[in-house]
């Protein structure tokens, strides 16, 4: 049986967002397809709401690169960090194309200042050729519901919720990532009990799944084990202060 190695798990279960590792789950496919349709219909405001670690940043990057690949149709701008001043945003908005459909993507949008959001709302209200795609945590919805940002609530919009993975999706996610490394688990390399425990500890949150897999594999490799065992997973979870549910 093939021993556990770090190289087969570190890259595919890393923390750095890499669109090549985006697992095309049914919900990701559905959200992606609906966003494309909404953009085709020139919907001004689109929101993707998700808890931390559930994959919204990867989906944001995927949308950005997909739209950018159609440069003749879309003028795309990505704001990966929300700390942008209203004055800088005005300059970037002024530089958008008049002939193409302009799309602005904002990651971690729940942290964007009110002033910056109000600048965007003004442009959305007067520009039929502009769409804003916001990716944020649930706090974003709470902020947009406040009186200060009431102008945004008046704009035609669609909202999507990206949930954590189910038990079955967790197993599919893990196997899909291992397959990207050219590795197919055999025998007890990754038992059903271990997968069940990963799901229980992670609550189906991909970022936590990645960390558990990466650290468990490292511990298993150091002990020269033939696979990831429950003891390795428990040791890895102890460093994260996770508890079984």
């Amino acid at each position: 049986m093939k021993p556990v190695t770090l190289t087969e798990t570190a890259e595919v279960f890393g923390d750095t967002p890499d669109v090549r590792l985006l697992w095309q789950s049914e919900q990701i496919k559905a959200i992606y397809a609906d966003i494309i349709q909404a953009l085709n219909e020139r919907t001004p405001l689109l929101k993707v709401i998700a808890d931390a670690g559930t994959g919204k940043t990867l989906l944001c990057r995927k949308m950005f690169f997909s739209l950018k690949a159609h440069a003749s149709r879309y003028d795309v701008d990505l704001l990966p960090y929300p700390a942008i001043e209203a004055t800088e945003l005005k300059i970037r908005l002024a530089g958008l194309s008049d002939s193409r459909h302009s799309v602005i993507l904002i990651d971690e949008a729940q942290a964007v200042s009110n002033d910056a959001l109000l600048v965007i709302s003004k442009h959305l209200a007067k520009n039929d050729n502009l769409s804003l795609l916001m990716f944020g945590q649930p706090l974003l919805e709470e902020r947009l519901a406040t009186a200060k940002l009431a102008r945004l609530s008046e704009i035609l919009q669609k909202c999507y919720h990206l949930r954590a993975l189910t038990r079955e999706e967790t197993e599919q996610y893990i196997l899909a990532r291992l397959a990207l490394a050219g590795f197919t688990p055999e025998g007890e390399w990754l038992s059903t009990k271990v997968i069940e425990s990963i799901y229980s500890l992670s609550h189906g949150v991909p970022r936590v799944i990645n960390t558990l897999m990466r650290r468990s594999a490292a511990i298993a490799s150091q002990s020269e084990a033939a696979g990831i065992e429950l003891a390795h997973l428990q040791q890895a979870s102890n460093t994260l202060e996770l508890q079984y549910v």
Side-chain angles (χ1 to χ4, degrees), residues 2-5 8-9 175 177-186 189:
K2 191 174 183 179
V4 179
T5 65
E8 288 165 333
T9 56
L175 295 179
R177 287 230 168 180
L178 288 172
L180 288 173
F183 181 65
T184 302
E186 299 177 356
W189 194 96

Side-chain angles (χ1 to χ4, degrees), residues 37 106 117 148 205-206 214 223:
Q37 180 61 35
I106 303 180
L117 289 175
K148 291 182 179 179
V205 176
R214 190 170 64 249
S223 63

Side-chain angles (χ1 to χ4, degrees), residues 42 49 59 95 98 115 141-142 156 178 188 190 199 216:
R42 293 294 199 275
I49 307 298
L59 180 56
D98 292 328
D115 288 342
E141 285 192 300
E142 296 178 21
L156 180 65
L178 288 172
E188 291 300 306
L190 193 67
Y199 175 67
S216 296

Side-chain angles (χ1 to χ4, degrees), residues 25 28 32 44 47 60-61 74 79 88 110 113 125 131 136 142-143 146-147 151 170 201 211:
S25 66
I28 288 289
Y32 179 90
K47 300 174 296 184
C60 177
R61 300 296 195 279
Y74 297 105
L79 306 180
E88 179 187 348
Q110 76 280 350
S113 70
S131 293
E142 296 178 21
R143 289 190 57 210
T146 61
R151 185 178 297 167
T170 295
L201 288 164
T211 303

Side-chain angles (χ1 to χ4, degrees), residues 158-206:
K158 295 194 71 173
C159 184
Y160 309 89
H161 288 86
L162 182 61
R163 58 167 173 75
L165 305 180
T166 64
R167 157 62 182 82
E168 291 72 24
E169 289 172 336
T170 295
E171 179 172 0
Q172 294 168 13
Y173 173 84
I174 292 171
L175 295 179
R177 287 230 168 180
L178 288 172
L180 288 173
F183 181 65
T184 302
E186 299 177 356
E188 291 300 306
W189 194 96
L190 193 67
S191 68
T192 300
K193 288 185 178 179
V194 170
I195 292 175
E196 291 278 2
S197 297
I198 290 174
Y199 175 67
S200 295
L201 288 164
S202 68
H203 301 274
V205 176

Side-chain angles (χ1 to χ4, degrees), residues 1 6 28 30 72 104-105 128-129 132-133 136 139 158 170 172 179 181 188 194 229 234 239:
M1 186 179 296
L6 288 174
I28 288 289
S72 61
I104 298 176
L105 298 92
D128 294 335
N129 210 30
L132 173 64
L133 183 47
L139 176 61
K158 295 194 71 173
T170 295
Q172 294 168 13
E188 291 300 306
V194 170
E229 302 170 3
Q234 185 60 62
T239 64

Side-chain angles (χ1 to χ4, degrees), residues 115-126:
D115 288 342
L117 289 175
L118 289 174
V119 166
I120 292 176
S121 69
K122 290 180 181 179
H123 281 263
L124 288 174
K126 66 181 181 181

